[in-house]
Amino acid sequence: MTGVCFVGLWNVRALQGFVLAPLFFYLVLGTAFLLTGFVSLFRIRTIMKHDGTKTDKLERFMVRIGVFSVLYTVPATVVVSCLFYEQAYHDEWMVAWQREKCALREEPWVEYNINCPAGVNRDTPLARPDFIFFLVKYLSTLVVGVASGFWVWSGKTLAVWKNCYSRCIGRRSESYV
């Protein structure tokens, strides 16, 4: 759930190729489709208003799509930005972690005779990731899921699942005539 084990955890190239590139590509592609859809909906709404047709339902639908798109794209952009930040400083964080472990002379560094990072000035401060950075990344990941859940789990969806469950256990719900 927190990304403790994923493709790009230890290898920056894997993070770039298998995590960042697809997320960035689909975020840009989805935003382009979303904007194209909004332009089309605004054109349809304008045509309907000129014809004198009521546009209340269409406008509610547009607001719903707008709210969902903001609740989805903003956190998704934050996740992609955090991953870009993570891959940019990954090597510095790893060297700092190794330097810290070497200075402590703990296991398994002593037992397996793991070499300390060469050519690193011991006087330079250790580069550490901010904890708040990871909290924001994980919160944004969860918000994307919650936003998707709000879109999918509407009253109509729950009614359909209730009807399906009733059919599965043998009870007939409402009959439509």
Side-chain angles (χ1 to χ4, degrees):
M1 180 153 119
T2 61
V4 173
C5 182
F6 72 99
V7 170
L9 185 62
W10 295 106
N11 188 341
V12 175
R13 296 285 177 227
L15 176 70
Q16 292 168 343
F18 293 114
V19 179
L20 266 175
L23 282 176
F24 183 74
F25 175 75
Y26 286 117
L27 181 64
V28 170
L29 184 69
T31 304
F33 279 129
L34 185 68
L35 293 175
T36 304
F38 266 122
V39 169
S40 297
L41 282 174
F42 276 111
R43 286 183 183 168
I44 291 169
R45 183 177 145 256
T46 304
I47 292 170
M48 288 175 70
K49 280 196 171 197
H50 284 296
D51 292 343
T53 310
K54 287 187 176 183
T55 59
D56 297 342
K57 287 185 179 182
L58 179 63
E59 289 172 354
R60 275 189 286 148
F61 181 64
M62 289 171 64
V63 167
R64 188 173 176 200
I65 289 176
V67 168
F68 170 74
S69 63
V70 167
L71 287 176
Y72 190 86
T73 54
V74 170
T77 304
V78 169
V79 168
V80 170
S81 301
C82 287
L83 287 171
F84 270 112
Y85 174 74
E86 192 174 329
Q87 65 96 29
Y89 291 100
H90 182 268
D91 293 335
E92 291 177 33
W93 294 341
M94 285 294 122
V95 169
W97 176 74
Q98 286 179 339
R99 209 174 92 196
E100 179 183 307
K101 292 300 177 187
C102 281
L104 295 175
R105 301 300 300 162
E106 294 178 344
E107 299 296 333
W109 297 91
V110 175
E111 182 180 337
Y112 296 110
N113 197 18
I114 298 173
N115 293 329
C116 292
V120 176
N121 185 359
R122 303 258 184 241
D123 299 329
T124 58
L126 295 174
R128 295 177 183 266
D130 291 327
F131 184 65
I132 191 76
F133 155 77
F134 289 103
L135 289 177
V136 168
K137 182 174 92 170
Y138 298 139
L139 177 70
S140 297
T141 303
L142 293 173
V143 168
V144 168
V146 169
S148 300
F150 278 126
W151 180 262
V152 172
W153 293 105
S154 66
K156 289 180 183 179
T157 306
L158 294 175
V160 168
W161 279 107
K162 180 182 172 188
N163 192 11
C164 178
Y165 178 72
S166 297
R167 285 184 185 170
C168 287
I169 62 170
R171 283 193 241 147
R172 291 288 290 172
S173 59
E174 307 164 19
S175 70
Y176 299 101
V177 179

